[in-house]
Amino acid sequence: MRVLLLGADGFIGRRVTDRLLVDQELQVTVLGRRDSADIRFDLTAGSPGALARFLDAVAPQVVINCAGATYGSSRTLIRANTLAVATVCEAIRRSREPARLVHVGSAAEYGPMPGGVPIAESAEPRPVGPYGVSKLAGTELVLASGLDATVLRVFDVVGPGAPTASLFGRLSEGLRRALERDESQVRMPDLSGYRDFVDVRDVARAIQAAAVSAATGVINIGSGNAVRARDAAQLLVRASGFEGTVAEENRQVMLPAQAVGAADHTVHHPLHHAVHHLPGHRPVEPRTVDGRPVAGEPVAWRQADVRTARDRLGWRTQVPLEESLGDVWLETACRV
């Protein structure tokens, strides 16, 4: 099967590349802006006609779109997450043999949702910021394109290679600096929200499974568990051996390794900080009006309903959160 991969240099794209290149059944061509790409093309500046000519030359049976931007101005996000997707869809439509499209979306498209409830693909999206809005617009373009296409709505991705601007990329770098400088505190943003963390290697497996499947429409890709970011941070702190404090905006939380307590809480033990196992836990509810979350309110809860991914892709996660965050720290600690 001939596959054209877009966005191979990104956090997710690099792992997808690794998986596809070792699959003897796939012939992979990479299109991107860097010299390392097989075809150099800027999706935010190039025309659909020019991209269609490349598609005709490569004749892919599947196009995987991992390209996009997570950070930047509203203009940057719209160009990378919406305009570029429009270019891809139009180019595929114009090509002689339209390929199947697998597009990587984001859970940020959902926006605030009621706490304690897994989010199904049928939930009405209500994104609250430029990133979520730009990603949702890209998803809608794919769904309305008339192509043989699926959108993988990926939840909170963690694992080795995490960008330093990401939550655990930032924490890992902060822990490294604190240990090198013998500092007793690491500063972080609020960690009270609940997130569905999924390892980047599991995401890459889901994308590969979608590429060779006949599934269409939106499919959630997540672990199916909601974990408080603060509890996940404990796993990373313990992996690093840091015994100081993490200052969380206006709240200071002690996260020494000893504070976790019992021996069965080691970083290699299966995660039992999932929200439904937390003692005395009550799901955090976003502020609502007439039962609907208020636009602009912080997203306090994110948990994927992953039944569609299991049923239609035969996919489920394999990498535990402890292992994923342990690998984040190992990569950071070994960086020269």
Side-chain angles (χ1 to χ4, degrees):
M1 176 182 286
R2 295 180 301 279
V3 177
L4 180 65
L5 177 61
L6 316 177
D9 294 318
F11 176 35
I12 294 176
R14 289 194 297 272
R15 292 295 176 179
V16 174
T17 303
D18 292 342
R19 285 203 64 85
L20 298 185
L21 290 178
V22 298
D23 190 333
Q24 299 298 317
E25 302 298 319
L26 303 179
Q27 178 183 324
V28 183
T29 301
V30 172
L31 182 146
R33 291 181 293 183
R34 299 192 180 183
D35 291 338
S36 57
D38 299 311
I39 301 172
R40 293 194 63 187
F41 189 85
D42 186 345
L43 293 172
T44 65
S47 70
L51 181 56
R53 288 191 288 274
F54 283 124
L55 291 174
D56 287 339
V58 176
Q61 292 156 292
V62 179
V63 173
I64 299 175
N65 184 24
C66 296
T70 307
Y71 311 100
S73 66
S74 296
R75 176 181 174 82
T76 296
L77 294 171
I78 290 170
R79 287 176 62 84
N81 299 331
T82 307
L83 177 61
V85 177
T87 297
V88 171
C89 291
E90 181 60 23
I92 294 175
R93 278 198 300 264
R94 293 188 190 185
S95 62
R96 285 195 295 265
E97 297 181 13
R100 170 172 169 77
L101 174 61
V102 176
H103 176 68
V104 177
S106 169
E109 298 170 32
Y110 285 119
M113 290 287 166
V117 180
I119 306 169
E121 291 87 351
S122 59
E124 183 179 356
R126 297 177 181 275
V128 295
Y131 172 70
V133 170
S134 67
K135 289 296 290 185
L136 178 59
T139 289
E140 294 296 338
L141 286 169
V142 172
L143 298 178
S145 67
L147 300 171
D148 172 11
T150 188
V151 175
L152 302 185
R153 199 166 265 164
V154 178
F155 279 63
D156 298 80
V157 188
V158 296
T164 55
S166 68
L167 181 65
F168 294 117
R170 174 177 172 177
L171 177 57
S172 187
E173 287 295 332
L175 291 169
R176 177 182 175 178
R177 287 195 302 271
L179 289 168
E180 288 176 345
R181 301 172 186 176
D182 197 26
E183 296 173 345
S184 61
Q185 186 180 88
V186 174
R187 301 191 65 83
M188 287 293 291
D190 177 49
L191 299 172
S192 63
Y194 290 84
R195 295 290 180 265
D196 188 325
F197 298 110
V198 56
D199 188 88
V200 66
R201 292 159 290 193
D202 282 330
V203 173
R205 287 194 307 103
I207 292 170
Q208 183 182 26
V212 299
S213 78
T216 58
V218 175
I219 301 176
N220 287 339
I221 300 299
S223 69
N225 293 314
V227 179
R228 180 167 252 168
R230 188 176 299 133
D231 295 319
Q234 288 183 2
L235 297 175
L236 183 53
V237 170
R238 292 186 60 253
S240 73
F242 179 67
E243 297 184 0
T245 61
V246 173
E248 196 178 316
E249 286 191 347
N250 296 325
R251 184 178 186 279
Q252 198 171 66
V253 181
M254 292 293 294
L255 293 176
Q258 298 94 323
V260 179
D264 64 346
H265 284 218
T266 68
V267 74
H268 302 293
H269 188 274
L271 180 69
H272 55 276
H273 287 300
V275 60
H276 50 278
H277 291 154
L278 290 176
H281 161 67
R282 291 184 179 180
V284 177
E285 294 280 355
R287 187 165 62 89
T288 61
V289 173
D290 296 329
R292 293 184 175 184
V294 177
E297 285 292 296
V299 177
W301 175 273
R302 202 142 63 199
Q303 178 186 6
D305 182 331
V306 295
R307 288 175 295 180
T308 302
R310 291 174 181 174
D311 294 343
R312 301 180 67 186
L313 301 181
W315 173 91
R316 62 183 65 222
T317 57
Q318 294 182 352
V319 183
L321 182 56
E322 299 94 332
E323 179 181 339
S324 185
L325 292 175
D327 289 344
V328 170
W329 173 248
L330 182 62
E331 182 182 70
T332 301
C334 294
R335 192 175 299 135
V336 177

